[in-house]
Amino acid sequence: MAERARRKVGVLISGRGSNMAALVEAARAADCPFEIAIVASDKPDAAGLAWASEQGIATFAQSPKGMPKAEYEARIDAALRSAGVELIALAGYMRLLSPAFVDRWGGRIVNIHPSLLPKYKGLDTHARAIAAGDAVAGCSVHLVTAELDAGTVLGQAEVTIEPGDTAEALAARVLVEEHRLYPRILAEFVRTMTDDPLARVRSLALGLPETSESNEDGQPSFTVADTPFARMTGDSALKVRSDDGWQTLSLAGDIDWTLVGDAIARGWELTAPPALLEAGGR
Ligand code: GAR
């Protein structure tokens, strides 16, 4: 059987990059479905950049200081694209991506977060879990949407909180699990996206704000505000709401995923209530 090309992943980091290093190590395995094409950072002195460079991986640094966010993100975007990146993995990247950036990479950005989402979005997750008296903490790998730490969870690992635990001690134990979880879930995600068009449609549709999946006559259907904007018909076609009503896209053979992603996003736009569009939407 012809060997399938590995999916090119771009990793964004802001600091030491231990999760990025775990992805790099995992990608050394012959059967790993992804390779790390580039490591990019908003912090030119991020320790992880130097490490990646020593490993022979392309790196890119761009400080956002002194420029509009759109300009900063356009530079990151251009670096990722010129490295042939198909999927972005955030690994301790401490900036919120703009809705426009998330939209451009629709359904193809994943992140690791040090809590059992939906609990403890944002910062200080371990201290908050301890203060709340939780018995377990952990980490989550999730799809990135424009809303902070809110996209579909792809996988989680739990870590017991011990009596007298400190945030630092707990963080260290969770980090060990992060390094196991992230490569495993990223590999699963890449395999599913490669082998299963429905999985890719699902990640594109559910990557848009306030969407959910339901079942209509045995077929997956994607809704926003309880109104369908895309649904599968048979194994290899997708119906998407369009300017003229509904259009049918083939999901057989070579699929133009940029076109499918744009059609799904347009279907969402035509269906989402005005308040959602005004709030920034996609
Ligand atoms: C990790 O614990 C990661 O889960 C967390 O930052 C740390 C980065 O460490 N990410 C977030 O808090 C994102 N909201 P690393 O640079 O060694 O991978």
Side-chain angles (χ1 to χ4, degrees), residues 13 15-20 91-94 111-114 122-123 126 148-149 175 178-179:
I13 62 168
R16 69 189 162 190
S18 71
N19 275 290
M20 172 274 294
Y93 179 69
M94 303 311 268
N111 180 40
I112 184 145
H113 181 74
L123 300 174
H126 305 301
L148 179 70
D149 301 329
L175 194 62
E178 291 185 37
H179 297 162

Side-chain angles (χ1 to χ4, degrees), residues 12 38 40 60 62 70-85 88 97 100-105 108-109:
L12 296 189
I38 187 168
F60 177 79
Q62 176 64 58
E71 170 65 22
Y72 160 73
E73 286 189 340
R75 290 185 188 196
I76 297 278
D77 184 82
L80 295 171
R81 284 179 197 278
S82 66
V85 165
I88 299 175
L97 295 167
F101 187 96
V102 173
D103 178 37
R104 238 173 296 134
W105 289 90
R108 292 177 297 139
I109 312 178

Side-chain angles (χ1 to χ4, degrees), residues 3 6 22-35 183 187 191:
E3 209 175 290
R6 304 208 289 165
L23 297 178
V24 168
E25 299 296 349
R28 297 196 208 280
D31 62 348
C32 182
F34 62 81
E35 63 183 278
R191 283 201 182 95

Side-chain angles (χ1 to χ4, degrees), residues 140-177:
S140 309
V141 174
H142 65 98
L143 281 177
V144 172
T145 60
E147 197 186 326
L148 179 70
D149 301 329
T152 307
V153 171
L154 301 172
Q156 293 184 315
E158 292 189 355
V159 173
T160 305
I161 299 182
E162 307 291 350
D165 236 342
T166 61
E168 293 71 29
L170 179 58
R173 296 203 310 283
V174 171
L175 194 62
V176 173
E177 294 307 319

